[in-house]
Amino acid sequence: MNDILFERLQRRLGYAFEDSERLRLALSHRSVGAHNNERLEFLGDSILNFIIAQALFDKFPAAREGQLSRLRSQMVKGETLAEIAREFEIGPCLLLGEGEMKSGGQRRDSILADAVEAIIGAIYVEAGMQTCRERVLDWYQTRLATLSLDTPAKDAKTRLQEYMQSRQQPLPDYRVAEVDGEAHAQVFTVECHVSLLDTPERARASSRRVAEKKSAAQALKRLGV
C-alpha cells in the first residue's frame, strides 16, 4: 500500500494504529491469500452490531424491540458500510489479488463493507472497546443524528418504484450521464427519468448505485412524497 494513502486513511478514520500491520491485515481481501481480513471482519461485525444497538437503545428510550431491530439493520447493512468506506476512500487502499483488482473489486460494495468491519475489529483488538466505540459513533454521528423512528425502512429507489406503480405509471429510468475520474476513483452522474416530472433528477456519487438512490430521493422530494 502507498504510504501516503495509508496515512491519509488513518487520518480519516480518526485513529492511528500503533501496529500498522493490523490495518494492513484489515484491508487484505481473501483474494491475496490465507493472511486476510476474514477473522477481523467476523469480530468487527459483532462489535458494530453491539455498538449501534446500544446507541439506538439510548437514543430511542420508548422504541419497541421491532423498531430498534429495523433501525439497526439499516445502520449496519452492507450498503451503509460501503457508503462509509467510500467516504473514507478505503477502495484505493485495499489489498486485492490480481484477478479481484482487474475486476474492479476495490469498488465492490461487499468488499468495501467487509473492510470497514475488519477495521473495526482491528481497532478493538489494538485499543479495546471504549476507543472502538468512540470511533464507530464518530463515523455514524450524522446518520444517527438524522435517524428517527419514522425513517422509512425502504430505500428511495424502492419507494419511488412503488409510488409510480401505485399510479399506474412507467417505472423510473436510470441513465448514467457521465463517468469522471480514474478507474480506481470514478464518480458517476446518474439521471433519474420519471414520467410525472418534466425534467430528470441528476445526482453524483462514487458508486452508480448510490447515485441512483440519491436521484430517486430527489425525485420523491419533487413529487411531494
Side-chain angles (χ1 to χ4, degrees):
M1 185 197 307
N2 182 295
D3 286 341
I4 295 175
L5 290 178
F6 190 88
E7 293 300 326
R8 189 179 299 164
L9 174 58
Q10 291 185 93
R11 287 197 298 271
R12 292 195 179 102
L13 294 173
Y15 181 80
F17 281 85
E18 293 181 12
D19 182 355
S20 61
E21 287 305 311
R22 286 202 177 95
L23 179 56
R24 292 182 188 276
L25 180 60
L27 296 168
S28 298
H29 183 254
R30 64 176 177 271
S31 60
V32 301
H35 194 60
N36 59 57
N37 66 5
E38 289 186 327
R39 282 173 53 84
L40 285 174
E41 174 204 336
F42 166 79
L43 183 61
D45 173 67
S46 298
I47 294 167
L48 174 64
N49 272 272
F50 172 72
I51 292 172
I52 295 301
Q54 185 178 37
L56 295 173
F57 182 85
D58 293 340
K59 181 177 174 67
F60 301 110
R64 298 186 300 275
E65 183 271 343
Q67 291 174 301
L68 294 173
S69 293
R70 175 176 65 81
L71 293 176
R72 181 181 61 182
S73 294
Q74 288 180 250
M75 291 291 99
V76 305
K77 65 183 179 181
E79 187 176 327
T80 302
L81 290 170
E83 289 175 2
I84 291 172
R86 291 189 175 94
E87 291 167 7
F88 290 148
E89 297 184 21
I90 286 176
C93 301
L94 290 171
L95 302 175
L96 306 169
E98 184 177 352
E100 198 65 62
M101 179 69 77
K102 289 181 178 178
S103 66
Q106 59 190 190
R107 297 190 300 274
R108 190 165 299 135
D109 279 9
S110 59
I111 293 177
L112 290 168
D114 290 348
V116 173
E117 290 180 335
I119 289 171
I120 292 171
I123 293 174
Y124 171 79
V125 168
E126 181 171 281
M129 179 58 84
Q130 183 57 36
T131 298
C132 191
R133 179 186 287 110
E134 289 172 358
R135 290 299 83 226
V136 170
L137 293 180
D138 182 63
W139 303 346
Y140 273 88
Q141 182 178 13
T142 301
R143 288 174 172 84
L144 288 170
T146 58
L147 200 63
S148 76
L149 294 179
D150 298 323
T151 299
K154 297 175 181 177
D155 64 40
K157 283 185 67 177
T158 302
R159 291 165 57 214
L160 180 57
Q161 177 176 315
E162 291 179 349
Y163 179 85
M164 299 301 288
Q165 288 175 322
S166 70
R167 284 154 180 76
Q168 298 182 328
Q169 294 289 323
L171 296 180
D173 179 24
Y174 299 93
R175 306 173 191 173
V176 176
E178 300 171 11
V179 180
D180 302 315
E182 301 292 333
H184 68 277
Q186 291 181 323
V187 176
F188 297 83
T189 300
V190 168
E191 291 183 345
C192 175
H193 294 258
V194 179
S195 60
L196 296 178
L197 298 175
D198 55 357
T199 57
E201 283 296 326
R202 290 169 65 96
R204 286 167 56 85
S206 56
S207 158
R208 176 176 177 173
R209 183 182 303 177
V210 173
E212 289 177 351
K213 291 188 176 182
K214 284 185 176 180
S215 64
Q218 292 168 193
L220 284 168
K221 186 174 182 179
R222 280 182 62 193
L223 291 166
V225 180

